[in-house]
């Protein structure tokens, strides 16, 4: 191994570069995958049907399918990371004061984390049957 | 503002659409997440609210942003990973704009009458 960084500053210079490089690569890979995931998501829910017909029954029926849960989970995870990192780039480009950056990023990461938890709960907190059963219980039909 | 050429406008549009889509994602997940509260929860009321025409026009803009951001992202990938991408980046950007329009027009033909017709 080459010379290891001996100060915090040196470590930052060494390691943030690798991490930033990893994020740089991630933005391109996730971006490429998201093109297909998002285009298909929009096609199924906005083009193939009139989006004004979307209601609880439609979403519950959709989320009761296993493949939809898996598909939307990949979409949620990749979009959350891609979007959060993109917003982080924007914050670092337009806000120079360390204090401002810190608080904006704190809000960003909190919001992203909360959104991810809500998304995972909406996708996975119920068994495949439960959402459909809840629907039938109030007479919306299956 | 710095009066750059196509490359700068490609970047500015990518940035604006990116920030807009990230904020839309946040709204979208919290909104659809209301499905957790069941059929008697606030889900249907919220969706009925968003089915009003101003939000449906907003949804058209979201779709336009998705198509542009995705296609321009492909342009960026070509610029980064091919030997010829940077040389042809300007032509590629006009290609992105043409394809965005080409995909956008059929979407408008499908969606605009639905918006004009109001809620089904």
């Amino acid at each position: 191994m080459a010379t290891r960084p001996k100060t915090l500053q040196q470590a930052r210079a060494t390691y943030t570069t690798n991490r930033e490089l990893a994020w740089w690569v991630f933005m391109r890979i996730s971006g490429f995958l998201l093109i297909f995931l998002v285009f298909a998501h929009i096609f199924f829910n906005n083009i193939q049907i009139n989006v004004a017909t979307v209601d609880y029954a439609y979403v519950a029926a959709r989320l009761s399918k296993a493949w939809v849960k898996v598909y939307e989970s990949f979409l949620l995870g990749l979009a959350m990371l891609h979007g959060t990192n993109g917003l982080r780039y924007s914050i670092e480009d337009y806000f120079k004061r360390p204090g401002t950056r810190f608080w904006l990023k704190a809000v960003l990461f909190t919001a992203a984390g909360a959104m991810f938890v809500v998304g995972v709960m909406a996708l996975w907190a119920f068994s495949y049957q439960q959402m459909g059963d809840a629907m039938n219980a109030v007479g919306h039909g299956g | 503002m710095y009066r750059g050429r196509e490359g700068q406008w490609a970047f500015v549009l990518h940035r604006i659409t990116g920030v807009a889509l990230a904020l839309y994602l946040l709204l979208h997940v919290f909104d659809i997440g209301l499905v957790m509260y069941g059929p008697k929860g606030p889900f249907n009321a919220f969706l009925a609210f968003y089915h009003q025409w101003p939000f449906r026009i907003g949804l058209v803009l979201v779709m336009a942003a998705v198509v542009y951001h995705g296609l321009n992202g492909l342009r960026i990938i070509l610029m980064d990973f091919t030997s010829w991408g940077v040389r042809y980046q300007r032509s590629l950007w006009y290609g992105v704009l043409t394809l965005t329009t080409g995909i956008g027009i059929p979407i408008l033909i499908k969606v605009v009458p639905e918006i004009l017709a109001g809620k089904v």
Side-chain angles (χ1 to χ4, degrees):
Chain A
M1 185 170 170
T3 41
R4 242 180 297 164
K6 295 183 179 67
T7 65
L8 181 61
Q9 271 187 326
Q10 281 177 12
R12 282 217 176 110
T14 310
Y15 291 137
T16 54
T17 308
N18 289 339
R19 203 174 64 185
E20 289 304 329
L21 179 66
W23 275 115
W24 185 92
V25 172
F26 172 80
M27 289 305 266
R28 274 125 192 98
I29 295 172
S30 62
F32 185 74
L33 296 174
L34 279 167
I35 292 174
F36 302 102
L37 290 171
V38 176
F39 276 33
H41 179 89
I42 290 179
F43 181 78
F44 287 135
N45 298 304
N46 283 266
I47 307 300
Q48 220 176 28
I49 60 161
N50 182 344
V51 77
T53 61
V54 170
D55 56 6
Y56 179 86
Y58 175 82
V59 176
R62 233 176 92 74
L63 293 185
S64 67
K65 296 184 182 82
W67 75 267
V68 172
K69 286 175 188 281
V70 174
Y71 182 100
E72 300 297 342
S73 294
F74 275 104
L75 183 50
L76 174 69
L78 287 172
M80 187 273 283
L81 291 172
H82 190 98
T84 306
N85 194 48
L87 284 178
R88 181 177 70 86
Y89 287 161
S90 305
I91 289 172
E92 289 176 353
D93 279 350
Y94 303 124
F95 299 93
K96 294 298 174 198
R97 286 187 43 235
T100 315
R101 280 186 178 199
F102 173 82
W103 286 111
L104 283 174
K105 283 189 203 174
V107 170
L108 169 63
F109 297 149
T110 307
M115 183 199 82
F116 186 68
V117 170
V118 168
V120 169
M121 281 170 71
L123 288 174
W124 292 98
F126 301 94
S127 73
Y128 301 144
Q129 280 294 313
Q130 275 173 322
M131 301 188 100
D133 290 346
M135 220 162 69
N136 290 330
V138 288
H140 279 264
Chain B
M1 181 190 261
Y2 169 68
R3 299 203 305 177
R5 301 192 56 180
E6 287 87 343
Q8 189 206 0
W9 293 112
F11 168 80
V12 169
L13 263 181
H14 200 75
R15 188 42 72 83
I16 293 172
T17 52
V19 170
L21 289 173
L23 297 178
Y24 172 78
L25 176 70
L26 191 74
L27 178 70
H28 180 61
V29 171
F30 279 117
D31 176 25
I32 298 298
L34 290 175
V35 78
M36 283 187 284
Y37 292 98
K40 287 181 169 170
F43 186 83
N44 277 334
F46 258 83
L47 252 69
F49 179 73
Y50 284 126
H51 288 155
Q52 291 172 292
W53 65 267
F55 297 104
R56 300 206 57 190
I57 292 173
L59 217 47
V60 171
L61 293 176
V62 167
M63 287 192 272
V66 163
V67 175
Y68 175 79
H69 195 87
L71 293 176
N72 193 55
L74 276 183
R75 168 178 163 273
I76 293 173
I77 290 173
L78 290 176
M79 284 162 64
D80 288 338
F81 294 111
T82 69
S83 56
W84 47 269
V86 173
R87 207 173 336 135
Y88 294 112
Q89 62 90 8
R90 195 177 305 158
S91 313
L92 284 171
W93 190 57
Y94 285 116
V96 166
L97 292 183
T98 308
L99 258 179
T100 304
T101 313
I103 295 174
I105 286 174
I107 292 179
L108 286 177
I109 291 174
K110 169 71 166 55
V111 171
V112 169
E114 291 175 354
I115 298 176
L116 291 175
K119 184 150 167 54
V120 180

